[in-house]
Amino acid sequence: MPRPPSPTPPTPSLLAAVMVTALGLASGACTPEVVPTKAPNCPAGPCERPKPRPARRARLEYEVEGRPFRLPVVRATVGGAPTLLLVDTGASSHVLTRWLAKKAKLPVDDQGDRSLDHAGRAVASLRTSAPKIVVDGWGPLEDRPTLVIDVPEALERLGIGGFLSPQSLGGTVVLDLLRGELRDTTSPGEEKGAL
């Protein structure tokens, strides 16, 4: 009985083209030189890989004015004015203090908002439309309307100009009290779901 012919091994150039295509598809890149049709996400010419977002990690500090402080704070600027923001996991949004808004010359207006303080008491609040908050190591926050409230004078003396809401930062954020950092787990090199 005659043996069936053995399959012809692929030529090196064909093998290379298949490998390049497979690698390109696995990495999300387009390789129009190898793949004759353009991928749907690359309508006009060769695709470039999206630039990775820089790692976002803010250092948590437990010292204010050279003295130990029980709650975590981060360094930031608001409208260009340097300040400390208290990291508040109970806050549903970022909040700034009236003294800092005045120092940073932020425009504020009264829209009849009422907020509750940590003890559940009503607090009159104002709004600023674009506070330009930049957290050290994290970068700029989304510029959106932000509440402005009066706080006890002791916070102003300590330089604490607001409250940072980790859940309002977007993405998956880890508040790592042991390492003393607030980090975005969607940053390059960060394992997803790591705690």
Side-chain angles (χ1 to χ4, degrees):
M1 211 173 188
R3 288 178 42 172
S6 62
T8 308
T11 62
S13 61
L14 177 60
L15 185 57
V18 170
M19 288 176 63
V20 167
T21 302
L23 289 172
L25 292 174
S27 67
C30 291
T31 52
E33 297 79 27
V34 178
V35 181
T37 58
K38 298 198 184 309
N41 61 346
C42 304
C47 285
E48 294 180 23
R49 290 185 185 175
K51 293 181 179 156
R53 186 173 60 192
R56 298 190 301 176
R57 293 177 186 265
R59 187 171 147 245
L60 300 177
E61 298 183 20
Y62 294 92
E63 187 176 289
V64 175
E65 299 269 315
R67 298 176 137 176
F69 195 71
R70 290 181 160 191
L71 303 171
V73 295
V74 293
R75 294 191 179 276
T77 58
V78 174
T83 192
L84 296 173
L85 299 176
L86 188 62
V87 178
D88 185 356
T89 58
S92 56
S93 64
H94 310 307
V95 178
L96 299 176
T97 62
R98 191 185 295 226
W99 72 263
L100 179 63
K102 185 177 180 181
K103 179 180 177 182
K105 299 180 179 158
L106 299 176
V108 294
D109 52 312
D110 187 350
Q111 296 185 358
D113 294 317
R114 296 288 175 249
S115 303
L116 299 177
D117 67 8
H118 66 284
R121 293 181 297 249
V123 176
S125 53
L126 305 170
R127 282 193 199 195
T128 186
S129 59
K132 306 278 188 255
I133 303 171
V134 180
V135 176
D136 291 8
W138 188 274
L141 304 187
E142 182 182 342
D143 220 13
R144 58 182 171 204
T146 303
L147 291 176
V148 176
I149 62 170
D150 284 317
V151 295
E153 194 177 305
L155 289 180
E156 181 177 359
R157 284 195 307 267
L158 293 173
I160 296 174
F163 304 89
L164 181 76
S165 168
Q167 57 269 33
S168 297
L169 293 173
T172 304
V173 176
V174 173
L175 180 61
D176 191 332
L177 301 176
L178 292 176
R179 287 187 185 172
E181 69 181 14
L182 179 69
R183 66 180 180 269
D184 178 2
T185 61
T186 55
S187 296
E190 184 70 44
E191 291 181 29
K192 290 187 179 184
L195 294 177

